[in-house]
Amino acid sequence: MSKEVVQSADVTIEFDGTRCIHSRNCVLNRPDVFVPNVEGAWIHPENATAAEVLEIAHNCPSGAIQCKAPNGDAMEKAPIVNLVQVRENGPLAFHAPLHIKGNDEGFRATLCRCGASKNKPFCDHSHVEIGFQATGEPATQAFEALAQRDGPLDIEPTPNGPLHVTGSLEVVSGTGTTTNKVTDTWLCRCGQSQNKPYCDGSHVKAGFKAA
């Protein structure tokens, strides 16, 4: 699915179907803007204010929904605290100024940690198809307060290996508990680590392949 761009007088919605993980926040909370199960046009920004569309975007963990002002400027601002949420049996949901493989990817993205996505490093919902199981409540590590809690976050998927993440980042569980604070870490994306969400080298034994 290619990117869909729909404009109203007040706001432009950009929807990237390749990033969508079907969290369904948009169709459940604003079915008048994102109309489910219809043929043809299904995105209707004219049914909401610009502020309401921005709220819809904020509730989209994958970054599939972006919104822009009429002049083309992005409406979303960088978060005060960079976070990655470890989703139960699912992906890593980042909220930060994201640079992934050197590309500006906005402020929200869900990255695969099951190893099965066909759209790596992004999640494509394959964790559901393969029955991936991994806790969203990892053990809390010993950590110190970060000198800075925001700023650019660089994510480099290493060839056949983990996600190398550099920059200020707070790791939170699916229920919101802070489990670690880091500035340089390696996160599992093969689905095999015994120390999820962190890499433990299991990708080598598993023969994980990914660019």
Side-chain angles (χ1 to χ4, degrees):
M1 183 185 296
S2 60
K3 183 179 290 186
E4 298 180 59
V5 180
V6 186
Q7 296 177 302
S8 71
D10 300 318
V11 64
T12 296
I13 291 177
E14 295 182 354
F15 176 77
D16 185 352
T18 65
R19 294 272 292 270
C20 181
I21 63 166
H22 310 289
S23 65
R24 304 192 74 242
N25 291 330
C26 57
V27 298
L28 291 174
N29 295 327
R30 288 304 302 259
D32 56 333
V33 179
F34 287 84
V35 183
N37 304 319
V38 295
E39 294 185 5
W42 68 289
I43 301 175
H44 295 277
E46 71 277 5
N47 290 335
T49 66
E52 289 171 337
V53 171
L54 180 58
E55 183 178 3
I56 297 170
H58 283 157
N59 287 329
C60 175
S62 68
I65 298 171
Q66 305 284 336
C67 57
K68 292 183 177 180
N71 64 0
D73 288 346
M75 294 172 58
E76 190 171 358
K77 305 297 183 184
I80 297 173
V81 180
N82 292 344
L83 300 175
V84 58
Q85 183 187 53
V86 182
R87 295 173 69 98
E88 187 82 15
N89 302 329
L92 298 165
F94 287 85
H95 188 203
L98 296 169
H99 299 277
I100 303 174
K101 301 178 71 172
N103 299 318
D104 181 355
E105 296 290 355
F107 302 120
R108 288 165 291 108
T110 45
L111 302 189
C112 175
R113 71 177 181 126
C114 74
S117 173
K118 299 175 182 62
N119 189 36
K120 298 180 183 71
F122 299 100
C123 171
D124 70 354
H125 221 233
S126 289
H127 55 275
V128 175
E129 297 174 15
I130 69 170
F132 178 65
Q133 293 187 341
T135 184
E137 304 294 323
T140 299
Q141 308 291 311
F143 58 79
E144 297 181 358
L146 298 175
Q148 180 179 344
R149 304 180 74 188
D150 60 356
L153 194 69
D154 293 311
I155 303 176
E156 186 62 33
T158 61
N160 305 325
L163 299 171
H164 185 200
V165 184
T166 54
S168 298
L169 181 66
E170 304 193 11
V171 182
V172 299
S173 71
T175 55
T177 300
T178 300
T179 64
N180 207 357
K181 298 183 180 183
V182 297
T183 56
D184 192 321
T185 192
W186 304 78
L187 300 177
C188 175
R189 68 178 183 130
C190 73
Q192 303 299 315
S193 174
Q194 300 302 304
N195 188 36
K196 298 181 186 71
Y198 308 100
C199 173
D200 68 355
S202 292
H203 55 277
V204 175
K205 183 178 180 180
F208 177 66
K209 301 294 183 184

